[in-house]
Amino acid sequence: MSERNGLNVPSPLFGLSHLLRLRADQLAFYRSMHALHGDAVSLRLGPWRSWLLFHPDAIEAVLATHAAAFVRFEPVMRVLAQWNGESLLVSEGERWRSRRRKVLPALASRRLPGYGEKIVDRTLAVRDAWEAADAPIIDTDREMVALTLEIAAETLFGEALGDRADAIGRAVAALSDVAFRESTSPLVLPDWLPVPGKTRKRRAIADMDALVTRIVAARLNGPPADRGDLLSMLIEADHADAAAIRNEVMTLLIAGHETSGALISWASDLLARHPGELAAVQAELDRELGNRLPRAADLERMPLLRAVVAEALRLYPPAYALFPRRAIKDVAVGNVAIRKGDLVQIIPFITQRDHRWFEAPDAFRPARFLVSPGWPRYAYFPFGAGPRVCIGQAFGLLEVSLVLATLLQRLSPEPAGAQAIPEAKFSLRPKGGLPQRWRKRARRA
Ligand code: HEM
């Protein structure tokens, strides 16, 4: 590992100043810690000694080689468990293994072509509306997060949200905000306090719960059938354990849409600002598809589209920081001695923009993904790595690629505002939205 290790950054007042800086601007805080103190930074955050580890070797050790020496940091998991229950995302040990085994078949590759059709179908409704509106200016981020929520609902339980879409969209956005605020707060106020944030949270949980519980109950009470959606698979795996199914559905619904929606937005922003790359992707789409709609099987013949998605994931990883881990035993990571109880934070947003691994690290260059990687394996990990790698990776990539293919086949995005600034919310989102003009492409021969 690198010799650039800035151990023990002074942390007066139990690291309160670090906590405040972290809450004010996480990305700037991580960037300055890495620039000033190197690849392994130790500082106090409240009662915990915390490590920021930026080097690919250290990342491999924490996520893969010594994964068993760490658990996800419990206070953050407790925040998520308020609505996810004891789901795959928040469990550890044998319970996590068993949950993961049960959810995996729902996301298996043989299921993907069927989900692909639903993804394209939903996107078509958006494309038709934008085409009819004659070069509208759209908040692409807002629309894409709404679209991926619709797609998640349809692929999870085979139901269109219809006129519930706005209410559910608001509830999910509220939970995502609360998750971010509570998990980065030095002090979480008790839920019984009648403060506005708590009321909003309680209402959002109740709304989501009502929707998911009703859908699960209706399916459990109906005739047994494999409807080709995730819920059918979960029912088969969980043998009608309504609470377990509800928890996983809620988790997949929330974990599985904001990240994908944000990634579509970032890819769209990058393409809008790089017309040459946009034209090249559209030429690839024209060549492979002509006028027919894209399908899952087409993507393997679209290396440039896949490279654009990969490069957007490098520059703007929606999961910009992994969930913090806590060491459950002493463990040596390179020349860093992590003690039982220490926290570890790993931040794809910083490592994936390190000039030692990526030439011109801030530049949008999809071509770097068209040749064999010139960077260490653990310098690029937008879906995490090791046993707790994202379970929805294949689904997410399929979704993002098919949505982009469907839109870009007929429409071109153009910037309609200043350069988007990444804001570290629950996912990495364009601050204040992403205004873009979506112009119809000239008709091709
Ligand atoms: C572009 C889209 C996505 C990105 C960038 C992304 C990123 C990630 C990352 C980085 C992790 C690991 C977090 C950590 O180790 O701390 C993760 C875990 C997870 N993701 Fe995703 N994700 C995406 C889409 C999805 C989708 C579509 C689903 C569901 C259908 C999903 C469900 C999950 C679940 C359940 C976990 C927890 C897995 C476990 O703990 O074993 N994600 N995701």
Side-chain angles (χ1 to χ4, degrees):
M1 205 191 305
S2 150
E3 63 293 345
R4 292 176 59 217
N5 283 333
L7 307 187
N8 290 321
V9 176
S11 309
L13 291 176
F14 291 100
L16 190 62
S17 66
H18 296 320
L19 271 171
L20 293 175
R21 281 177 64 200
L22 190 68
R23 255 169 87 73
D25 188 342
Q26 278 195 68
L27 300 180
F29 177 72
Y30 293 139
R31 217 184 272 123
S32 79
M33 285 290 144
H34 187 219
L36 290 172
H37 305 293
D39 282 331
V41 183
S42 152
L43 39 86
R44 181 156 286 279
L45 289 179
W48 297 280
R49 182 164 84 144
S50 185
W51 291 94
L52 307 179
L53 299 179
F54 298 106
H55 194 282
D57 292 349
I59 292 164
E60 175 171 16
V62 173
L63 297 183
T65 328
H66 298 298
F70 297 93
V71 292
R72 290 191 175 155
F73 183 43
E74 295 87 341
V76 172
M77 294 300 112
R78 276 198 292 277
V79 168
L80 301 180
Q82 293 175 92
W83 46 87
N84 288 339
E86 284 295 300
S87 76
L88 157 69
L89 184 74
V90 304
S91 339
E92 294 290 342
E94 196 36 56
R95 182 176 171 84
W96 163 75
R97 236 180 310 280
S98 142
R99 298 302 324 150
R100 186 148 174 135
R101 254 198 315 269
K102 287 183 171 166
V103 174
L104 264 174
L107 293 161
S109 54
R110 71 188 172 83
R111 293 261 152 194
L112 296 184
Y115 298 147
E117 279 173 32
K118 292 182 172 155
I119 292 165
V120 172
D121 205 45
R122 297 294 327 171
T123 312
L124 209 49
V126 173
R127 181 173 101 178
D128 288 348
W130 293 0
E131 271 196 296
D134 191 19
I137 293 185
I138 304 277
D139 179 348
T140 302
D141 187 52
R142 205 184 119 131
E143 294 292 326
M144 289 302 107
V145 172
L147 172 63
T148 50
L149 178 61
E150 288 279 3
I151 290 172
E154 191 135 337
T155 46
L156 278 169
F157 19 84
E159 269 201 35
L161 288 175
D163 54 12
R164 294 165 300 183
D166 273 356
I168 296 303
R170 271 197 305 276
V172 175
L175 292 183
S176 159
D177 267 7
V178 171
F180 172 70
R181 250 183 307 115
E182 290 191 355
S183 57
T184 54
S185 168
L187 176 71
V188 175
L189 297 173
D191 274 350
W192 47 261
L193 277 182
V195 290
K198 298 289 180 188
T199 312
R200 191 166 156 238
K201 175 173 88 176
R202 275 197 302 272
R203 191 171 309 134
I205 295 178
D207 285 354
M208 291 292 294
D209 216 20
L211 173 82
V212 173
T213 306
R214 188 185 58 67
I215 290 172
V216 172
R219 192 69 79 79
L220 284 174
N221 296 330
D226 180 355
R227 308 237 300 243
D229 55 25
L230 283 154
L231 183 53
S232 303
M233 297 269 84
L234 288 174
I235 288 175
E236 199 180 308
D238 268 316
H239 305 296
D241 177 347
I245 296 165
R246 172 238 173 254
N247 293 345
E248 298 308 343
V249 169
M250 195 85 132
T251 296
L252 295 174
L253 190 63
I254 296 177
H257 90 281
E258 191 182 292
T259 40
S260 311
L263 179 56
I264 300 167
S265 305
W266 288 118
S268 171
D269 183 47
L270 287 162
L271 287 172
R273 290 178 193 281
H274 296 83
E277 299 288 356
L278 174 61
V281 171
Q282 287 174 323
E284 184 180 77
L285 292 171
D286 294 345
R287 197 173 56 242
E288 293 304 328
L289 302 175
N291 278 323
R292 77 168 167 80
L293 288 170
R295 290 190 287 256
D298 295 321
L299 296 175
E300 68 188 43
R301 294 189 311 281
M302 298 185 180
L304 193 51
L305 176 64
R306 283 186 282 121
V308 163
V309 173
E311 179 73 337
L313 273 165
R314 184 185 70 79
L315 285 169
Y316 298 105
Y320 56 93
L322 300 190
F323 292 120
R325 267 66 172 170
R326 186 176 65 80
I328 51 173
K329 51 178 148 174
D330 293 350
V331 54
V333 168
N335 56 358
V336 171
I338 294 180
R339 287 198 303 260
K340 182 178 171 182
D342 285 358
L343 299 193
V344 170
Q345 298 196 62
I346 290 175
I347 302 122
F349 184 83
I350 302 294
T351 301
Q352 293 182 174
R353 283 179 182 245
D354 190 319
H355 65 87
R356 290 172 294 173
W357 326 123
F358 299 97
E359 199 187 308
D362 296 326
F364 176 56
R365 290 191 182 166
R368 60 176 110 230
F369 284 92
L370 295 175
V371 292
S372 353
W375 51 86
R377 159 76 185 81
Y378 289 85
Y380 179 77
F381 53 107
F383 292 97
R388 298 210 69 157
V389 67
C390 175
I391 200 170
Q393 173 169 351
F395 180 96
L397 287 173
L398 174 79
E399 179 182 21
V400 169
S401 310
L402 284 179
V403 170
L404 285 169
T406 309
L407 293 177
L408 298 177
Q409 198 179 18
R410 298 285 277 272
L411 295 156
S412 299
E414 290 171 10
Q419 171 83 57
I421 297 172
E423 186 177 30
K425 307 272 279 197
F426 193 60
S427 312
L428 195 66
R429 304 278 296 273
K431 190 171 185 176
L434 178 64
Q436 291 190 309
R437 186 182 293 284
W438 284 85
R439 209 180 277 287
K440 237 188 284 191
R441 290 179 67 200
R443 200 162 275 291
R444 298 166 312 284

